Amino acid sequence: MSRDDIDLHEHDAPVNKRRKVVNGSSTHHQDGPTRIFTPFRARLVSCTAVPFSSISLGKTTFQITTSVGKCLHTYDLRRGLNLVFLTRPQTPSDITSIFSWKDRIFAAWGGEASLSGVGVWIFKRGRKVEELEIPPGISGPISQILIFGSWIVGCTADRVEVWKSATYEHYTTITPTGVRNTPGGAISSGGLTHMPTYLNKIFVGKRDGSLEIWNLSTGKLIYAIAPPSSTSGPVTALQPTPALSLLAVARADGSISIHDIRSDRVVIELNSKRSRSSTITSMSFRTDGLGAGEDGCKPGIMATAGTDDGDVTLWDLNNGGRVSGVLRGAHNPASHHSGVLGGINKVEFLPGQDIIITGGLDNALKSWIFDATSLSATPRILHSRSGHAAPVTCLSFVPSNAEGSDAGGKWLLSAGRDQSLWGWSLRRDGQSTELSQGNIRKKAKKLGILGKSLDTENSTTLEDLKAPEITCIACSLNRDGGMGASGGGGAVWTNVSTKKGSLDATQSAATGWESIVTGHRGDKYARTWFWGRKKAGRWAFETADGEEVTVITLLLLARDMLTQWQSVAVTACGTFAVVGSAGGSISMFNLQSGIHRQRFPSTLTPGQAKKLKLAHAVGGNDHGHMKFALGEGKHKKAVTGLMVDTLNRTVISCGLDGKIKFWDFLTGRLHEEIDWYPMAAITASKYYRPSDLIAMSCDDLSIRVVDSETKKVVRELWGCLGQVSDFSFSNDGRWIIAASMDSVVRVWDLPTGHLINALRMESPCTALAFSDTGEFLATAHADGVGINLWNNRTLFMHVPTRLIRDDEITDAIAPTSSGEGGRNLIDAAFDKEDEENDPVDESSLGNLQPTTSQLSDELQTLSLVPKSRWQNLLHIDTITQRNKPITPPKAPEKAPFFLPSLSETQKPASIPSAVAAIAPAPSSKSRISKLHNPTSSTPNPFTALLHTSSQPNAHEPFIDHLSSLPPSAADIQIRSLSPLPLSLPSNPSPTNELMLFVRVLTARLCQKRDYELVQTWMAVFLKVHGESVIADSGLRDVLREWRVVQGKEASRLAARVGFCSGVVGWARSER
């Protein structure tokens, strides 16, 4: 959208299309799909608090299944933990436990809320195939599922349910002893297991620390094992050992005992004298016969982990048991003060393999391998599947309109409270990765963090070695060197001002340099990143006044949420980075060399400072025609927005002091200033370079749009009922999409200033981004670590953009991890909905102005027909072939021979003569033959309007009718054009429908309107009627006229596009 579109005169501005009024009254739909955005898919969640489940596929690979809310993800280990299955449909409530058995996955769901139901669904290759019969009386969630032999066992807080694995029928219910006397039940989570060779027996761990052995076949209690002491606490984990009749039992005090079930005695007791209790929630044994002993060639390795920290402890059970190694920092430990999730919910050795799988509460699934030639007792990382461990705070699509970038809309950058920066591929999950901050574990080892005592010291988090939480991102790929960019010798985040010696930027000049700059919470440095190499960059830019890079924090009491304002920017050429501070200073750095280049306002020399001081003393003006002198105009409060124009001539800044300042890029001198103080303080800004429009959110809950050329406010957008957390321009600059803390995402149309869409989310949206291709809207929310993707419906269908009222806010249905209920471009292209089903008040129609179909006769105007309609017409044959049924229709089954037919038992009733007289006689001609008959008494509208178009200036109705047809109908009508001669009163010369059709398209092309439609219709016409063109000389003459007009218009457009492309290329050139 250009700036001129906003400045159109009130009576010349295009307005919304008239819509249908139903019975003179308005009907508002608050339920159902949204008007502009439809859910597509939720991304970035790999693992939750529900432990994963694994199953071997013969001797080739293993499949790991994790829960992501109401959906299951299955990963293949041989493919590097690549995603292979997503389950559909989604469960009605969140999944509470899973178990893999043979080729099926059992998932228990529900029971966490008081009124939610409980169920167990069975999935096979991502599809639901069966569900278990749920007995009445289950009030809590099924926390564990166990399948062995002919039994399926489900454990809740106060009972154990048993089903038959062959028929899925409910068999019996077991109630452990002491449930009635123990508040909250007697069974702890994870306290259920089965031991090999113990037929029909299960072992149940209780909250009092005891064990019970039950026979499932008879439903009777066989034996009870007492706890070792009254202070040992509940049983937290049970795991059978590879040795028969030995069971590992972990309790809440951190102790682990290997118990002999047959003799009821403790064989090995571990961790009993530990000074710091760390609850063990998962245990596993290595079964490949290696790893223990001094040479690592003996069996007897056990791995333990818990949710208190992110460490995996490895035990050598030979000679009484000892700690053989600790895998420090396998997963992030929990951090309650920053909201970062952490801990390990399950650790498991794969059967017969030297591979261990860990699943964490930090949204990570990892595989580790023991090297046979290594002397280390701890494994190394093999594969990883992870995401953010805390809510996302910042989103940004990697720009696609830059030289060297990938396909548009493919990559999404996200930063979260877990101090990480991720690059997500929207096309292939396996390509997503976290941008490296260096070898954190190696740094920790050098600092001695990993070398402390394994028994007594706390596990130190590795997050302290990462960069602080990222709060703002700026990116430009024009100088990104990809994988071949020079890394500067391996050093990351160097402060050039404190580095001794000269810098050589020759190598980076040939290979490219960093393309991403980030600001961080509570830090005075802005850091650079390589996008192509997916790693930290060379430079850390320090603010001029030593204050932190602007991150102002506002505590919202209603939601207890944090809202940040950002101020980092990268020029369009990708050479300079501009950083603003909380103290009001602005500095510019060179990304190639890391050297400081300019300040805004610029630093005065001693002579300039003395001269300025004298001028102020005498009250004179020593800066000529300029409004501001050198060194004047610094922001008095924090800088909350920074922008640089496309030509690198002007730097635009705004701050909490309510001022918008326009600086000279080269000299650092202030040229213009817009002062809104004390009316409003500016909290954030966005810049749309193609139109030089600046959108700024203010503390009065408004968004104001300023034209950077005229320095005037062109729009004020109101409607947010909470602080604006984030906002963005659409890819064409026509919309502004804003999220506020009232959990509503609003869309404004800039040409009209109308609020055209509003979505009420389930939780506040903390960050959003709109893709450069216009395909997706990405949103992040306060209650989760995932990112929701929404489709833009306006790409493939017409969506009414009328002004909506406050009571028309739609409750949005959030995207799902499985994509169920979402819509992609192909699905929506065949949507039958139309804007006629969107009624409005009849009174509002009186305010509508007539639309302007063409601004000028010299401009080439495109149509308003959705892009997908004419694109699908070009490929209608491919679409038809793809949508053909795979199997032919089956004939209905015949009735048995002994049943009489209807004709034998009942005679057809006689037709009344009156009805027969008015009933039409059966036609002997087919529908296609009628279409080819130009003399039919009732021609269709297409044919009638085509014949009428032979009159001068009468082709407008025909074009409008053909534009309104769907792709399939338009294809049929073009194919139905008849080559037979016509005799029309308005055109005495010989003609036919083919020639009339070409003349209509030629006339439309001369009007410079509907260019893309005319090209599409002509392409279909020539493909269908190519043989008729060869045989008809008159038709060839008409086509020659078309070719002359088409050649002139194509040459004119090519010259205009070439000129614009040259200007843009010159603007982006480094010279």
Side-chain angles (χ1 to χ4, degrees):
M1 188 196 73
S2 65
R3 184 174 61 254
D4 297 335
D5 293 337
I6 293 182
D7 297 333
L8 287 174
H9 190 270
E10 180 183 23
H11 297 287
D12 297 334
V15 297
N16 298 324
K17 185 178 179 180
R18 288 180 178 268
R19 286 165 288 105
K20 185 178 180 180
V21 178
V22 181
N23 297 329
S25 62
S26 62
T27 306
H28 305 288
H29 302 280
Q30 298 187 13
D31 299 328
T34 61
R35 295 158 56 92
I36 295 179
F37 299 108
T38 57
F40 177 57
R41 188 181 170 191
R43 306 294 293 273
L44 316 188
V45 180
S46 301
C47 192
T48 60
V50 178
F52 65 85
S53 178
S54 65
I55 190 71
S56 62
L57 297 182
K59 298 181 180 180
T60 57
T61 185
F62 291 83
Q63 285 189 350
I64 316 297
T65 301
T66 64
S67 166
V68 287
K70 301 178 182 180
C71 174
L72 298 178
H73 287 187
T74 300
Y75 304 95
D76 190 275
L77 182 63
R78 186 177 59 178
R79 301 180 183 178
L81 288 181
N82 273 1
L83 184 65
V84 290
F85 294 121
L86 292 167
T87 57
R88 295 184 180 182
Q90 287 202 130
T91 57
S93 300
D94 288 342
I95 295 173
T96 56
S97 62
I98 56 178
F99 191 88
S100 299
W101 183 65
K102 296 183 179 180
D103 60 345
R104 308 199 172 194
I105 302 174
F106 292 72
W109 53 267
E112 296 180 339
S114 58
L115 300 179
S116 64
V118 179
V120 178
W121 285 4
I122 306 171
F123 297 93
K124 180 178 179 180
R125 298 183 64 83
R127 297 293 180 182
K128 178 188 174 185
V129 295
E130 193 60 72
E131 61 180 299
L132 298 184
E133 174 189 355
I134 301 300
I138 297 182
S139 58
I142 299 177
S143 59
Q144 187 176 356
I145 298 178
L146 179 66
I147 304 177
F148 65 95
S150 60
W151 307 106
I152 301 174
V153 184
C155 176
T156 66
D158 56 358
R159 61 203 295 180
V160 175
E161 301 293 344
V162 183
W163 293 268
K164 299 289 288 185
S165 61
T167 61
Y168 302 144
E169 295 179 352
H170 185 261
Y171 181 75
T172 186
T173 299
I174 295 177
T175 304
T177 58
V179 171
R180 298 179 181 178
N181 301 326
T182 304
I187 301 178
S188 65
S189 61
L192 180 69
T193 190
H194 163 74
M195 294 188 65
T197 72
Y198 281 68
L199 187 63
N200 302 331
K201 308 299 188 301
I202 62 169
F203 296 79
V204 180
K206 298 175 59 179
R207 294 190 185 276
D208 58 2
S210 63
L211 292 176
E212 291 183 350
I213 305 176
W214 289 81
N215 189 315
L216 298 182
S217 180
T218 61
K220 294 182 179 180
L221 176 65
I222 298 177
Y223 191 75
I225 300 176
S229 66
S230 59
T231 60
S232 59
V235 175
T236 57
L238 296 173
Q239 183 67 31
T241 68
L244 296 179
S245 301
L246 295 184
L247 179 66
V249 183
R251 292 181 170 85
D253 62 349
S255 63
I256 305 172
S257 60
I258 307 298
H259 205 95
D260 189 340
I261 300 300
R262 289 185 299 179
S263 60
D264 189 10
R265 65 184 182 90
V266 176
V267 178
I268 301 176
E269 188 172 0
L270 305 171
N271 220 24
S272 59
K273 297 181 180 180
R274 188 171 183 178
S275 60
R276 182 182 67 91
S277 63
S278 178
T279 303
I280 304 299
T281 57
S282 178
M283 300 180 292
S284 182
F285 291 89
R286 186 171 175 177
T287 57
D288 63 343
L290 299 174
E294 295 182 359
D295 57 356
C297 296
K298 294 182 180 180
I301 290 294
M302 177 181 68
T304 62
T307 56
D308 295 339
D309 52 37
D311 301 340
V312 177
T313 305
L314 300 172
W315 302 82
D316 186 348
L317 300 182
N318 296 283
N319 301 323
R322 65 180 180 86
V323 175
S324 62
V326 177
L327 181 60
R328 297 284 186 182
H331 290 264
N332 293 330
S335 177
H336 300 289
H337 66 277
S338 61
V340 178
L341 303 176
I344 300 176
N345 57 19
K346 187 175 182 179
V347 58
E348 180 180 343
F349 278 101
L350 296 180
Q353 304 292 325
D354 56 354
I355 296 176
I356 187 171
I357 307 295
T358 58
L361 300 177
D362 59 345
N363 191 23
L365 178 69
K366 299 181 180 180
S367 63
W368 310 78
I369 187 171
F370 292 84
D371 290 326
T373 59
S374 175
L375 299 178
S376 175
T378 57
R380 63 174 175 85
I381 189 70
L382 181 61
H383 302 118
S384 177
R385 188 82 182 197
S386 56
H388 285 290
V392 177
T393 58
C394 190
L395 290 174
S396 176
F397 276 93
V398 176
S400 60
N401 57 345
E403 185 177 338
S405 65
D406 288 318
K410 177 182 178 181
W411 290 98
L412 175 66
L413 288 172
S414 67
R417 296 182 187 172
D418 57 349
Q419 303 170 237
S420 65
L421 178 64
W422 281 80
W424 302 99
S425 173
L426 303 185
R427 300 182 182 178
R428 186 174 182 181
D429 289 345
Q431 295 180 347
S432 302
T433 182
E434 179 183 1
L435 273 67
S436 172
Q437 300 187 29
N439 195 333
I440 302 297
R441 292 184 59 83
K442 185 176 181 181
K443 295 179 184 178
K445 188 174 182 180
K446 288 183 178 180
L447 296 175
I449 294 178
L450 301 182
K452 297 182 179 180
S453 173
L454 300 181
D455 294 329
T456 59
E457 295 292 338
N458 296 337
S459 176
T460 303
T461 174
L462 302 181
E463 299 300 316
D464 298 335
L465 300 179
K466 290 186 175 182
E469 175 190 337
I470 297 173
T471 56
C472 48
I473 302 174
C475 180
S476 176
L477 298 186
N478 271 335
R479 294 295 179 266
D480 187 80
M483 289 297 295
S486 173
V492 299
W493 294 333
T494 303
N495 186 6
V496 179
S497 62
T498 60
K499 186 175 181 179
K500 298 181 180 180
S502 60
L503 297 173
D504 185 8
T506 306
Q507 186 176 5
S508 61
T511 62
W513 50 83
E514 296 91 330
S515 55
I516 301 175
V517 180
T518 57
H520 302 261
R521 178 184 300 280
D523 194 10
K524 63 180 180 179
Y525 295 101
R527 291 168 169 81
T528 62
W529 305 75
F530 288 99
W531 169 246
R533 302 185 64 177
K534 305 295 190 298
K535 66 182 292 288
R538 300 167 294 171
W539 316 124
F541 301 138
E542 185 178 3
T543 56
D545 52 8
E547 296 286 344
E548 62 178 291
V549 178
T550 307
V551 182
I552 311 301
T553 303
L554 175 66
L555 182 63
L556 300 178
L557 300 179
R559 288 285 184 180
D560 196 26
M561 292 296 303
L562 295 177
T563 302
Q564 299 121 15
W565 294 282
Q566 314 97 355
S567 60
V568 293
V570 177
T571 57
C573 63
T575 305
F576 300 97
V578 187
V579 181
S581 74
S585 68
I586 304 173
S587 302
M588 183 172 66
F589 300 85
N590 187 294
L591 284 173
Q592 180 183 358
S593 62
I595 299 176
H596 180 271
R597 289 302 186 189
Q598 187 60 272
R599 291 182 181 176
F600 304 91
S602 60
T603 304
L604 299 179
T605 63
Q608 290 174 333
K610 184 177 180 180
K611 187 176 181 181
L612 181 62
K613 185 177 181 180
L614 291 175
H616 282 297
V618 299
N621 183 358
D622 189 50
H623 44 271
H625 66 281
M626 303 296 294
K627 295 182 180 179
F628 303 93
L630 282 173
E632 292 184 343
K634 179 182 177 182
H635 283 280
K636 298 180 180 179
K637 294 184 180 181
V639 180
T640 57
L642 286 172
M643 298 138 283
V644 183
D645 69 343
T646 306
L647 301 179
N648 287 358
R649 295 179 178 176
T650 305
V651 175
I652 308 167
S653 65
C654 58
L656 289 179
D657 54 2
K659 293 180 174 58
I660 308 170
K661 299 178 182 291
F662 299 84
W663 310 85
D664 185 85
F665 184 87
L666 297 177
T667 64
R669 190 169 191 166
L670 181 62
H671 284 173
E672 296 286 343
E673 179 183 271
I674 302 175
D675 191 358
W676 291 347
Y677 182 82
M679 178 179 62
I682 303 171
T683 59
S685 66
K686 299 290 183 180
Y687 184 47
Y688 186 68
R689 281 194 175 98
S691 295
D692 287 331
L693 295 177
I694 310 169
M696 287 162 285
S697 61
C698 305
D699 60 352
D700 58 357
L701 308 185
S702 69
I703 297 178
R704 293 176 170 88
V705 183
V706 174
D707 185 349
S708 63
E709 291 292 333
T710 62
K711 311 297 189 298
K712 294 182 180 179
V713 177
V714 294
R715 287 290 180 268
E716 289 190 6
L717 309 176
W718 299 84
C720 294
L721 302 181
Q723 180 67 44
V724 178
S725 56
D726 200 3
F727 62 100
S728 175
F729 279 98
S730 62
N731 64 311
D732 57 359
R734 188 178 181 87
W735 300 338
I736 285 184
I737 305 100
S740 56
M741 301 313 295
D742 57 354
S743 301
V744 178
V745 175
R746 295 174 172 85
V747 183
W748 285 275
D749 185 64
L750 281 184
T752 61
H754 290 169
L755 177 66
I756 59 175
N757 196 23
L759 314 176
R760 179 175 285 108
M761 304 294 182
E762 297 179 356
S763 62
C765 176
T766 57
L768 61 81
F770 201 88
S771 65
D772 291 344
T773 59
E775 295 179 78
F776 299 112
L777 172 69
T779 60
H781 300 267
D783 61 346
V785 297
I787 296 177
N788 293 336
L789 295 178
W790 308 77
N791 271 321
N792 180 11
R793 298 175 67 209
T794 60
L795 290 180
F796 39 74
M797 65 179 299
H798 175 70
V799 177
T801 55
R802 63 175 177 85
L803 175 66
I804 67 170
R805 301 196 304 263
D806 293 339
D807 59 348
E808 294 182 275
I809 297 178
T810 306
D811 292 331
I813 303 175
T816 62
S817 179
S818 63
E820 183 182 1
R823 299 174 61 80
N824 56 25
L825 189 144
I826 298 298
D827 296 333
F830 295 95
D831 199 339
K832 301 300 182 182
E833 295 181 0
D834 190 76
E835 63 271 15
E836 294 182 355
N837 296 326
D838 187 25
V840 293
D841 294 331
E842 188 175 8
S843 58
S844 64
L845 298 179
N847 299 326
L848 295 179
Q849 303 292 337
T851 60
T852 303
S853 59
Q854 195 171 18
L855 298 177
S856 172
D857 294 338
E858 299 299 324
L859 297 178
Q860 180 61 256
T861 305
L862 302 181
S863 69
L864 297 178
V865 175
K867 182 179 179 180
S868 62
R869 182 173 293 180
W870 55 267
Q871 282 188 340
N872 290 338
L873 178 58
L874 283 173
H875 307 286
I876 192 66
D877 294 336
T878 305
I879 296 175
T880 304
Q881 184 67 25
R882 184 188 59 196
N883 293 338
K884 291 180 63 176
I886 300 176
T887 59
K890 298 181 180 180
E893 297 183 0
K894 296 181 178 180
F897 67 92
F898 52 82
L899 292 180
S901 63
L902 181 64
S903 58
E904 297 177 358
T905 58
Q906 181 180 359
K907 295 183 179 180
S910 58
I911 301 176
S913 57
V915 176
I918 63 175
S923 175
S924 59
K925 295 184 178 180
S926 66
R927 179 172 59 90
I928 300 298
S929 62
K930 285 185 177 182
L931 290 174
H932 283 283
N933 185 10
T935 61
S936 176
S937 58
T938 58
N940 58 23
F942 178 86
T943 304
L945 293 174
L946 180 61
H947 292 178
T948 308
S949 65
S950 61
Q951 302 175 4
N953 301 324
H955 62 273
E956 191 78 25
F958 174 77
I959 293 293
D960 294 340
H961 174 73
L962 185 56
S963 302
S964 65
L965 296 179
S968 57
D971 180 73
I972 292 178
Q973 295 293 356
I974 295 177
R975 291 178 182 273
S976 68
L977 293 173
S978 175
L980 300 179
L982 288 177
S983 177
L984 300 175
S986 59
N987 190 0
S989 59
T991 185
N992 55 34
E993 291 183 355
L994 299 179
M995 299 170 63
L996 288 177
F997 185 79
V998 175
R999 289 193 181 103
V1000 169
L1001 298 188
T1002 305
R1004 196 63 167 181
L1005 196 59
C1006 293
Q1007 291 182 339
K1008 299 182 177 61
R1009 294 177 58 185
D1010 301 337
Y1011 185 78
E1012 79 281 17
L1013 285 182
V1014 173
Q1015 302 299 321
T1016 301
W1017 291 335
M1018 180 55 72
V1020 176
F1021 174 83
L1022 294 177
K1023 181 174 65 174
V1024 174
H1025 300 287
E1027 296 180 357
S1028 300
V1029 173
I1030 298 175
D1032 193 342
S1033 59
L1035 181 58
R1036 291 198 300 271
D1037 294 338
V1038 176
L1039 283 173
R1040 290 190 184 98
E1041 299 176 5
W1042 150 268
R1043 186 173 61 181
V1044 172
V1045 177
Q1046 167 66 17
K1048 292 181 180 179
E1049 192 62 27
S1051 301
R1052 190 178 70 90
L1053 283 179
R1056 294 280 190 263
V1057 173
F1059 173 78
C1060 295
S1061 177
V1063 172
V1064 173
W1066 172 82
R1068 290 168 52 187
S1069 175
E1070 60 181 347
R1071 295 182 297 272

